Amino acid sequence: MQAVEIKNLSYIYSKKTPNEKLALDNIDLSVEEGSFVALIGATGSGKSTLIQHLNGLLVLQNKKRSSVTVNGMSAANKKTLRQLRYQVGMVFQYPEYQLFADTVEKDIAFGPKNMKLSAEEISERVKRAMEVVGLNYAEFAERSPFDLSGGEKRRVAIAGVIAMRPKILVLDEPVAGLDPIGRAELLSLIKKLQKEVSPTVILVSHNMDDVAALADRIIALKDGRIVADGTPKQVFGDRELVADAGLDIPAAARIVDKLAQRGIQLDKTIITMEELKAALLGLLGKTGTEKFQAATLFSDEVNAEERGDGSNSSESDPIERRSSSNENALSIEDGEGGGKDV
Amino acid sequence: MAFVEIKNVSYVYPLREGVSLKAIKNLSLQIEAGEFVALTGMNGSGKSTLAKLLNGLFKPSEGEILVDGISTSDDKRVFDIRKKVGMVFQNPDNQTVATIIEDDVAFGPENIGLPREEIVERVDSALEAVGMSEYRKKQSSKLSGGQKQRVAIAGVLAMRPEVLILDEATSMLDPAGREEVMAVVKKLNAQGITVINITHNMEEAALAKRVVALRKGRLAIDGTPSQVFSSGLLSSCGLALPPAAALAKDLKEQGVDICLATTEDSLVEGLCKLLK
C-alpha cells in the first residue's frame, strides 16, 4: 500500500513578485507503507516545501494538475484534512521551541485532547508516548518542560507528536544541535518508533552517515526536482549520479574515493564505517572480520557512552539507559538547560 | 596576561525557590589573542553558559573573568566587553532585527554611530566574508536557515570584534554551508581574530588549534586536537571521535599498525603506507 502518493506537484513562493521562486518542480513520488525514506538535498532544494504538503500545511497551488494523497486521503479535501493531519506526525527542526504547557504531561496531551479522545485514552497515550521516548512518567510528568535539558525537551516534543499515533512520521533534521550521545540515542529512538508506532518514516537530513545507516530509500532533491531515488547503496555507489546531483557522500565512501585516488581500489558501494573497516581488514590480511557483529554506526557511539559511564553498562537499550540515569534526581550538571533558549 | 583570563569562575542558575544549578564549577582557563579554540562537551556541560559569561551576558557567581584586562563584572565597562567579544548563537531567527539583509548587518555599526562610508564598507566586507553579497537587498524572512545564520555571522563581523564566539552556529547548516562558514572563520582567525567555536561536531573541533572540553561544568581536557583525540578521555565527556579517528582506533585495536588520525586525510595517508 502507498502511504504517500504525490503527482505533478509544483510550488512557487512569492508568485508574481520579484522574489518568485520555484521551490518544487513537477514532483512525482510514491512512498510505500513501512519504508524508511531519507529526503536529502542542499539547503533550498525544496525538502521542507515538499514535507509541508504532506499534511496540508502548504496548500496545492494547482488542484487540477497536482495531487497529494496520504493513506488514500487527498490533502486538498477539507473534509478529511483533520483526519489526515492526525496521520502525519511532523517533527520540525528544533521541536523543543514549540513546547508551551506548564507540565510535560499537559504538553504531550495537547494533540490527543484535540483529537477529542476520552480522558482515559489520553492518559494512556501520554504514558505510552513517554515510555517509548524514554521519559519516566513518575519523574517527568509533573515537571515543567522548560526546566529540562535540551535532549529531554526534544523527547517531550517528539512524545507529543507520537501520542497522536501517526501512521507516517516526518522528521526534519531531528538530531540537529544534539551532542554525540544525544544523537545516537535519538536515531535509535527513531528506528524504535518506526517499529512500534509509525510504520512509515520520512527523515530529512544533511548527515549522509546517518542516512546511509538508517534509510532503506533515498530521495534526493535539487532545485525542486528529484535527482536521485534508490537504496543508499545504489545512490551513493553511483559516483557519477552523486556528482551530477551535487550530493554529499558518507564519510566511508569519501575515504574509499581518497584511497582510490592513491591507487587502492575498494568497493564503491561501501557506505558505512563498519563496511569500510571490514574491507580494510580483509585487504590488510587481518582475519578478524567474522568477529564483527552487524553493529551499526550508532551502537559504536553508544559503546562510547558505556565506556564513559560504566555503572549502567549492563543495559542494552541506550534510551532506557538515559532515562535511568535521569532518575538521579535533578541533575546539577545540566548547566545549559536554563540558558539554551534565552 | 592572556587576552581572556578566566579565574576560578563558578556560575549558579537559580531555578526556582530553593533549587539552583551550578553550571560552571571553579573553572580557570586562559585564551591568548589570536587563538582558535574549539569549546566542546555534551549538552549541559556548561559550554553555552561559559560563552555567555565571556561577553558579560552573565556575571560570574564566584571568581572573575578578564577580557583584554577588563573585568566582565564591571557594569560600567560592559559595552567595551561586548564590542570586543562578538557572539553568534545557534538559532538565527532570534538574531535578526531588520527585514532587509543589508540593514540587518548594518544594525550594529549604526548603533555605535559610525560614519556612513564606514558602515557601507563594513557591511560589504561582512556580507562578502559569509558569501551573501548577492542577497543583500533580499528579505531575511525569505532565506533558508543556513543563509540566515550566515547573515547573523555577518552582523557580528560588521562590529569588527576581537573575539568571535560561535555557539553551535553551524549546527543547522548543511555540509556545504558549514564548510563555507568554517572557511570564513579560519580566514578571520588567520587575520588575527580570536575564535572560540562551541561545537559537538568533532570534525569541526579538529579544525581548531586547541580543543577544550568541559564535563559537568569543569575543565576536562585541554590540548591540541591530536592530543585530545588520543587521550581516551573524550567518551568520559559524552563525546565521540570523528569517524576517521574512530576507524583508525578500531583498526589499531585489531592489530593494524596505524597511527591515530585526526582527519580523513591523515587516515588515508596512514593506510597508503600500509597498503602500498
Side-chain angles (χ1 to χ4, degrees):
Chain A
M1 181 180 146
Q2 302 299 340
V4 177
E5 193 118 48
I6 295 172
K7 285 197 181 116
N8 296 324
L9 179 63
S10 294
Y11 194 85
I12 303 168
Y13 283 105
S14 310
K15 224 174 181 172
K16 292 175 185 155
T17 75
N19 293 321
E20 180 168 308
K21 185 181 186 295
L22 179 62
L24 292 178
D25 186 3
N26 219 8
I27 299 277
D28 276 306
L29 174 67
S30 24
V31 175
E32 184 89 17
E33 188 176 65
S35 48
F36 194 123
V37 175
L39 189 58
I40 64 175
T43 309
S45 61
K47 306 183 300 284
S48 300
T49 309
L50 181 61
I51 60 172
Q52 286 178 62
H53 276 92
L54 296 179
N55 72 346
L57 279 177
L58 286 177
V59 183
L60 295 182
Q61 285 181 330
N62 186 339
K63 292 198 175 74
K64 281 187 190 132
R65 229 180 129 258
S66 335
S67 69
V68 174
T69 313
V70 175
N71 285 339
M73 288 179 287
S74 163
N77 183 347
K78 289 208 174 107
K79 281 183 196 145
T80 52
L81 187 57
R82 188 170 266 267
Q83 207 52 42
L84 180 144
R85 287 198 172 138
Y86 297 154
Q87 300 209 359
V88 184
M90 291 277 206
V91 178
F92 291 106
Q93 279 188 9
Y94 295 86
E96 59 275 22
Y97 290 128
Q98 297 169 44
L99 297 174
F100 66 98
D102 58 359
T103 70
V104 166
E105 173 151 39
K106 283 185 201 163
D107 208 294
I108 299 171
F110 181 77
K113 260 191 185 155
N114 268 307
M115 296 170 79
K116 305 220 162 46
L117 301 171
S118 68
E120 301 87 73
E121 171 86 16
I122 292 172
S123 155
E124 196 273 313
R125 284 191 177 205
V126 170
K127 282 185 184 138
R128 173 72 184 134
M130 288 182 69
E131 184 192 324
V132 175
V133 301
L135 291 168
N136 183 297
Y137 181 81
E139 189 196 344
F140 286 94
E142 289 308 314
R143 282 177 65 182
S144 161
F146 302 102
D147 285 350
L148 306 179
S149 77
E152 287 162 356
K153 278 186 202 166
R154 194 163 296 186
R155 278 185 283 159
V156 172
I158 291 174
V161 172
I162 63 166
M164 300 179 69
R165 310 237 164 116
K167 296 269 188 339
I168 301 167
L169 188 61
V170 183
L171 305 117
D172 190 355
E173 291 281 357
V175 297
L178 295 183
D179 61 43
I181 288 171
R183 287 175 59 89
E185 285 179 356
L186 189 50
L187 290 168
S188 27
L189 171 61
I190 292 167
K191 270 284 185 197
K192 185 175 163 198
L193 292 179
Q194 186 188 22
K195 229 180 269 162
E196 299 183 12
V197 186
S198 307
T200 309
V201 174
I202 299 176
L203 171 74
V204 176
S205 177
H206 287 308
N207 188 314
M208 297 304 126
D209 295 330
D210 294 350
V211 166
L214 288 169
D216 35 55
R217 179 178 172 197
I218 289 177
I219 296 166
L221 291 182
K222 187 188 180 189
D223 300 329
R225 286 194 206 132
I226 294 177
V227 288
D229 184 352
T231 65
K233 278 194 186 298
Q234 283 166 347
V235 172
F236 292 133
D238 186 345
R239 298 294 204 277
E240 250 176 70
L241 175 77
V242 161
D244 286 346
L247 298 177
D248 291 295
I249 53 175
R254 222 162 34 229
I255 293 170
V256 166
D257 283 359
K258 283 180 178 165
L259 287 169
Q261 279 170 16
R262 307 284 294 265
I264 298 162
Q265 300 299 335
L266 291 170
D267 185 354
K268 293 276 185 199
T269 65
I270 288 174
I271 54 173
T272 67
M273 282 295 179
E274 283 302 318
E275 291 167 356
L276 179 59
K277 185 163 84 179
L280 286 170
L281 287 172
L283 212 55
L284 290 160
K286 298 278 169 191
T287 53
T289 42
E290 68 275 7
K291 272 194 275 177
F292 300 125
Q293 301 136 6
T296 63
L297 173 73
F298 314 115
S299 62
D300 239 19
E301 292 180 76
V302 169
N303 286 337
E305 185 191 28
E306 281 179 8
R307 287 193 293 276
D309 184 10
S311 58
N312 285 321
S313 56
S314 59
E315 291 182 50
S316 60
D317 185 333
I319 295 142
E320 298 290 302
R321 194 178 317 129
R322 179 71 157 245
S323 72
S324 65
S325 68
N326 281 335
E327 278 160 27
N328 303 333
L330 177 66
S331 53
I332 290 302
E333 57 272 20
D334 261 339
E336 280 165 316
K340 202 81 197 171
D341 303 316
V342 172
Chain B
M1 193 171 60
F3 192 77
V4 177
E5 286 269 352
I6 301 168
K7 292 194 265 187
N8 306 103
V9 167
S10 296
Y11 185 78
V12 180
Y13 283 104
L15 275 189
R16 51 184 176 272
E17 254 172 63
V19 186
S20 62
L21 200 124
K22 201 164 189 177
I24 297 289
K25 295 166 195 159
N26 197 22
L27 183 78
S28 294
L29 191 67
Q30 285 89 38
I31 296 169
E32 303 290 341
E35 273 199 88
F36 189 156
V37 180
L39 181 60
T40 188
M42 64 188 288
N43 291 114
S45 61
K47 307 180 301 292
S48 295
T49 306
L50 181 58
K52 287 175 184 137
L53 283 163
L54 289 178
N55 79 342
L57 279 174
F58 294 165
K59 313 240 180 277
S61 310
E62 287 163 46
E64 190 181 36
I65 297 179
L66 300 175
V67 176
D68 201 9
I70 309 168
S71 167
T72 60
S73 305
D74 184 348
D75 285 333
K76 288 182 210 114
R77 304 294 302 275
V78 74
F79 283 100
D80 294 325
I81 301 257
R82 297 222 176 120
K83 246 186 253 180
K84 287 177 192 292
V85 184
M87 229 165 134
V88 177
F89 294 97
Q90 188 171 24
N91 189 341
D93 286 331
N94 301 346
Q95 300 173 71
T96 314
V97 291
T99 44
I100 302 296
I101 286 159
E102 59 179 5
D103 296 347
D104 191 66
V105 177
F107 179 79
E110 275 172 358
N111 258 321
I112 53 172
L114 292 173
R116 195 188 133 72
E117 307 78 67
E118 166 99 28
I119 294 175
V120 171
E121 200 274 312
R122 286 190 179 199
V123 170
D124 284 350
S125 65
L127 281 172
E128 180 154 1
V130 298
M132 290 295 292
S133 301
E134 57 178 305
Y135 294 88
R136 58 184 305 150
K137 301 282 182 197
K138 301 233 164 157
Q139 289 178 31
S140 43
S141 61
K142 301 279 174 198
L143 300 182
S144 68
Q147 291 168 328
K148 282 181 192 165
Q149 191 63 314
R150 280 145 68 189
V151 172
I153 292 171
V156 170
L157 293 180
M159 296 296 281
R160 304 270 157 91
E162 290 176 69
V163 181
L164 176 63
I165 301 181
L166 301 144
D167 190 354
E168 287 182 46
T170 63
S171 63
M172 286 180 76
L173 303 192
D174 62 18
R178 179 191 291 267
E179 240 170 68
E180 203 175 311
V181 169
M182 288 315 293
V184 167
V185 170
K186 269 176 127 172
K187 190 178 80 187
L188 293 168
N189 177 249
Q191 290 164 359
I193 291 191
T194 309
V195 174
I196 300 173
N197 184 28
I198 298 178
T199 181
H200 307 306
N201 183 314
M202 288 296 122
E203 282 161 301
E204 203 175 298
L207 297 175
K209 292 179 196 113
R210 176 178 172 194
V211 178
V212 172
L214 298 184
R215 180 170 188 266
K216 299 184 180 180
R218 294 180 203 276
L219 182 68
I221 325 175
D222 184 356
T224 64
S226 56
Q227 284 169 346
V228 169
F229 291 165
S230 59
S231 68
L233 293 170
L234 270 186
S235 57
S236 71
C237 296
L239 298 169
L241 288 171
L247 179 59
K249 182 167 171 274
D250 283 355
L251 290 174
K252 206 177 163 75
E253 277 166 11
Q254 298 287 327
V256 176
D257 179 26
I258 188 165
C259 296
L260 274 183
T262 56
T263 64
E264 285 172 17
D265 287 332
S266 57
L267 172 72
V268 167
E269 211 52 53
L271 287 170
C272 284
K273 271 189 208 139
L274 289 171
L275 289 164
K276 280 209 161 161

